[in-house]
Amino acid sequence: MATTTNGNGNLVDEFEEAFQSCLSVLTKEEALATMEKEEMRAEVDHSVLRFIDLARQMEAFFLQKRFLLSALKPELVVREDINDLKSELARKEDLLKRHHEKITLWQNLLADVQGWAKSQAQGPATPSGMNGVPPSGTPPQPAM
């Protein structure tokens, strides 16, 4: 594979080549049979280090562009921040809505259980032979 680390090439293309190089070292079968472990390790280390170096260069490039953009057009940064805050607010409102729905569900369930317990306490005595066991199909009374 041709490598273009002279600075004249496109950084994204170099980054992609470095990634492909990392993969090709590990996937080429003919090299696995003929290479020694140390030789293969050195080639993997070299390709991974090149990939990491190019990733750092790309990060620096984008950070520089971001800095220039924030210096020259600060309203774009503010607009982006506003959009981020709006989406975060919408996400949290949705989360609150789901929590309120769950609370309502649990409150209804609790009211049903309490109503059932009151009806059992006021209801007729249990038939003889049942020994206080509720009839089938009804939930057991909570222990107090």
Side-chain angles (χ1 to χ4, degrees), residues 122-139:
Q122 295 173 357
T126 56
S128 61
M130 292 293 287
N131 295 329
V133 177
S136 63
T138 60

Side-chain angles (χ1 to χ4, degrees), residues 53-143:
D53 182 47
L54 287 169
R56 287 183 179 141
Q57 289 178 24
M58 275 185 51
E59 182 181 22
F61 172 79
F62 285 116
L63 287 174
Q64 287 174 349
K65 294 300 178 185
R66 176 76 177 182
F67 176 72
L68 283 175
L69 184 65
S70 67
L72 298 175
K73 303 241 182 199
E75 67 275 4
L76 292 178
V77 175
V78 171
R79 190 177 304 144
E80 183 181 344
D81 289 343
I82 289 170
N83 288 336
D84 288 345
L85 290 171
K86 283 181 181 178
S87 65
E88 182 71 15
L89 186 62
R91 185 187 68 81
K92 288 183 178 181
E93 285 176 351
D94 184 49
L95 185 64
L96 281 172
K97 181 182 172 187
R98 285 186 281 156
H99 281 301
H100 284 295
E101 289 171 356
K102 286 182 182 179
I103 287 171
T104 303
L105 176 76
W106 283 104
Q107 283 176 336
N108 291 339
L109 185 63
L110 181 62
D112 290 346
V113 169
Q114 287 175 342
W116 180 83
K118 285 181 183 177
S119 68
Q120 287 295 321
Q122 295 173 357
T126 56
S128 61
M130 292 293 287
N131 295 329
V133 177
S136 63
T138 60
Q141 279 185 297

Side-chain angles (χ1 to χ4, degrees), residues 11-80:
L11 192 58
V12 175
D13 291 339
E14 290 183 43
F15 184 69
E16 185 178 358
E17 283 180 24
F19 179 70
Q20 293 295 332
S21 175
C22 286
L23 292 178
S24 70
V25 169
L26 298 172
T27 58
K28 57 184 176 182
E29 293 178 15
E30 65 275 358
L32 293 176
T34 59
M35 284 183 145
E36 291 183 22
K37 285 185 178 182
E38 292 301 318
E39 187 179 338
M40 186 174 179
R41 184 182 309 252
E43 189 173 347
V44 167
D45 286 345
H46 173 72
S47 60
V48 168
L49 287 175
R50 182 169 178 269
F51 177 74
I52 291 172
D53 182 47
L54 287 169
R56 287 183 179 141
Q57 289 178 24
M58 275 185 51
E59 182 181 22
F61 172 79
F62 285 116
L63 287 174
Q64 287 174 349
K65 294 300 178 185
R66 176 76 177 182
F67 176 72
L68 283 175
L69 184 65
S70 67
L72 298 175
K73 303 241 182 199
E75 67 275 4
L76 292 178
V77 175
V78 171
R79 190 177 304 144
E80 183 181 344

